[in-house]
Amino acid sequence: MTNPSFEFARAVTRRPAASIVDGLRAEDSGPPDLQGMLAAHDAYVVALRSTGAEVIVLDPLEAYPDAQFVEDTALCLPQGAILMRPGAPSRAGEVAEMAPTLRALYEDVREIKGPGHVEGGDILVTGKEILVGRSDRTDAEGVAELAAITAGWGHSLREVFTPDGVLHFKTDCSLMDGETILSTKRLAASGCFEGYRVLHVPEGEEAAANAIRFNNLVLMADGFFRTAEMLDKAGYEVVQIDNRDCAKLDGGMSCLSLRF
């Protein structure tokens, strides 16, 4: 791999459980449909595998309604994996469920021990640094502990801030390549992406900002035609995935996998 921030050999996902109806959400827009979510998850896995990557699909966890959002449980880097410490108490047990899989794939697995909290949805790894957004789920103590671990592996980490009312930093941004960020205007206005090329999602399509660059593909939620057209014109190969049910749980493309 020449750029480990978006070129991956593996991904880990977890199939949604019937308990998704009890998942966390900022606003109740109705219950997600399990069959719809499973079909979308299958399409997501197919897209990842189409790039030649190995995709590990873990079994559902009925005890954890948000467990399909595996990205929040860990940060996977070339040097090793770091188990997170979620800020949502109901999600704490998901980390222990993910740990055996990562220990089988990595020789070096560290963990955020606390008292701070960090969720993977607040972490954006670019071609030159790790950006970590403070949010309701990620606090200063958690960022500091994460910075100490990643510094030992030679990574530069920079703390930034998530806009009020936005769940995770990556709710509003995603990496398109080593130097290019797809972002909402409200997040980019903070200046956190100075030195990067920034592509702004069109007004009214803010939910499209949570996408993933995975090898040669950009996976994004479908229904955001102007964003898809913009990315296509910029030279990216776009795959659109049904995200309607996932969005009811404040989820998006990045939430559904660990990529390394």
Side-chain angles (χ1 to χ4, degrees), residues 65-157:
D66 296 290
Q68 67 275 1
F69 300 134
V70 294
E71 182 183 53
D72 291 318
T73 65
L75 172 62
C76 295
L77 296 168
Q79 297 84 1
I82 306 168
L83 299 171
M84 299 288 102
R85 190 165 186 263
S90 66
R91 302 196 63 191
E94 295 174 31
V95 177
E97 295 285 352
M98 180 58 69
T101 297
L102 294 180
R103 293 190 190 281
L105 296 168
Y106 278 101
E107 292 185 2
D108 193 350
V109 178
R110 313 284 180 92
E111 60 183 293
I112 301 296
K113 296 180 179 179
H117 298 87
V118 188
E119 294 191 0
D122 284 314
I123 304 170
L124 183 71
V125 180
T126 78
K128 57 186 177 182
E129 62 184 337
I130 299 173
L131 299 175
V132 184
R134 290 263 298 276
S135 71
D136 289 341
R137 303 283 186 86
T138 295
D139 56 32
E141 293 83 1
V143 175
E145 188 175 355
L146 180 62
I149 297 172
T150 56
W153 288 341
H155 291 276
S156 172
L157 184 147

